[in-house]
Amino acid sequence: MTRLVAGNWKMNGSLAANRDLLDGLVSIPGMEMAVCVPYPYLAQAQERPAGVVLGAQDVSEYAVGAYTGEVSAAMLVEFGCRYAIVGHSERRALFGEDDATVGRKARAAMQAGLVPIVCVGETLAERDEGRVMEVIGRQLDAVREVLGPVAIGRIVLAYEPVWAIGTGRSASVAQVAEVHAGIRAWLNVHGAAGGVRILYGGSVKPDNAAAIFAVADVDGGLIGGASLAAADFMAICRAAAGGV
């Protein structure tokens, strides 16, 4: 399975900074590299190095209509996007998106030809209560309910422990292995394990990327802060490609 490393720029960037960042990226054989940029920079990011795939950080659940401020999946496709992140913990926590909304966004993305990167993960309180797979299972069930048993096998999943996003903390290798194995088991039960890539997202950096990517069932990464520096992002991508 080809590993995917997707950079989530979040609400960062400027025309000048973006140009420098994009110019510093070079595709690496044996892995897939994507950048998920803010909506206003999709046009600029169309001029990116060959082999670097474009993605969006969110997508509307609606196809068209009177939804001021929303951006449809069809619009993203017109800009050359292949991926759209849905259900990122910041969208869930800060903007009130629930599990059902995430499922509908994933469906809208797929109906337009995008691949949704569906984010799942637990808070620190939920981990301390021993409810990690209960929470993730609930999040996955909601997406499967909307997509159905066949389409769920065509998404990308990203496990992001909420307590490790933007905090500088990363889950231990053992914690990553346990949860990714649990997600793979859930996929197996629902007949979707074979082609679904499971990314890890939670303070991945050049110095811990190789250890994280060595874990079974880790098929790449969803990278936040480290994707804003070309050298760091390239180092993570090289780790995903096996140190090329």
Side-chain angles (χ1 to χ4, degrees):
M1 190 179 299
T2 302
R3 283 182 171 149
L4 167 63
V5 176
N8 176 15
W9 293 5
K10 305 191 180 185
M11 198 177 72
N12 294 292
S14 67
L15 291 173
N18 300 345
R19 186 72 273 148
D20 289 341
L21 176 51
L22 291 168
D23 287 346
L25 303 182
V26 181
S27 63
I28 298 174
M31 58 83 62
E32 185 178 9
M33 184 189 308
V35 290
C36 299
V37 309
Y39 292 141
Y41 299 135
L42 286 171
Q44 182 187 27
Q46 288 180 302
E47 299 180 16
R48 60 192 183 279
V52 178
V53 178
L54 188 57
Q57 297 172 19
D58 192 18
V59 62
S60 178
E61 64 182 280
Y62 304 108
V64 67
Y67 303 105
T68 300
E70 291 286 273
V71 175
S72 74
M75 294 174 183
L76 299 177
V77 169
E78 284 197 316
F79 278 89
C81 288
R82 179 181 299 174
Y83 296 104
I85 300 171
V86 299
H88 191 281
S89 63
E90 290 159 359
R91 298 297 312 175
R92 294 177 188 263
L94 300 178
F95 301 98
E97 294 185 5
D98 59 17
D99 297 336
T101 300
V102 175
R104 293 191 298 270
K105 288 189 171 190
R107 179 177 60 193
M110 296 188 78
Q111 288 175 338
L114 295 170
V115 177
I117 300 175
V118 179
C119 299
V120 297
E122 81 285 0
T123 64
L124 185 58
E126 290 164 342
R127 170 166 284 277
D128 289 344
E129 293 165 1
R131 299 173 52 225
V132 176
M133 286 313 302
E134 174 192 335
V135 170
I136 292 174
R138 183 202 75 219
Q139 293 168 338
L140 292 172
D141 284 338
V143 175
R144 183 177 182 272
E145 184 175 338
V146 175
L147 294 184
V150 175
I152 192 78
R154 299 199 298 268
I155 68 173
V156 172
L157 284 173
Y159 167 55
E160 43 165 32
V162 178
W163 48 273
I165 298 172
T167 64
R169 295 177 59 184
S170 181
S172 69
V173 168
Q175 289 170 324
V176 174
E178 180 181 19
V179 177
H180 277 245
I183 294 173
R184 187 69 68 191
W186 185 96
L187 290 166
N188 276 321
V189 167
H190 294 89
V196 177
R197 289 181 285 188
I198 309 173
L199 314 183
Y200 173 70
S203 295
V204 179
K205 295 177 170 51
D207 60 359
N208 64 13
I212 290 171
F213 294 144
V215 174
D217 295 314
V218 173
D219 305 310
L222 181 59
I223 315 302
S227 71
L228 298 175
D232 289 348
F233 190 59
M234 290 301 305
I236 293 168
C237 290
R238 285 193 294 272
V244 175

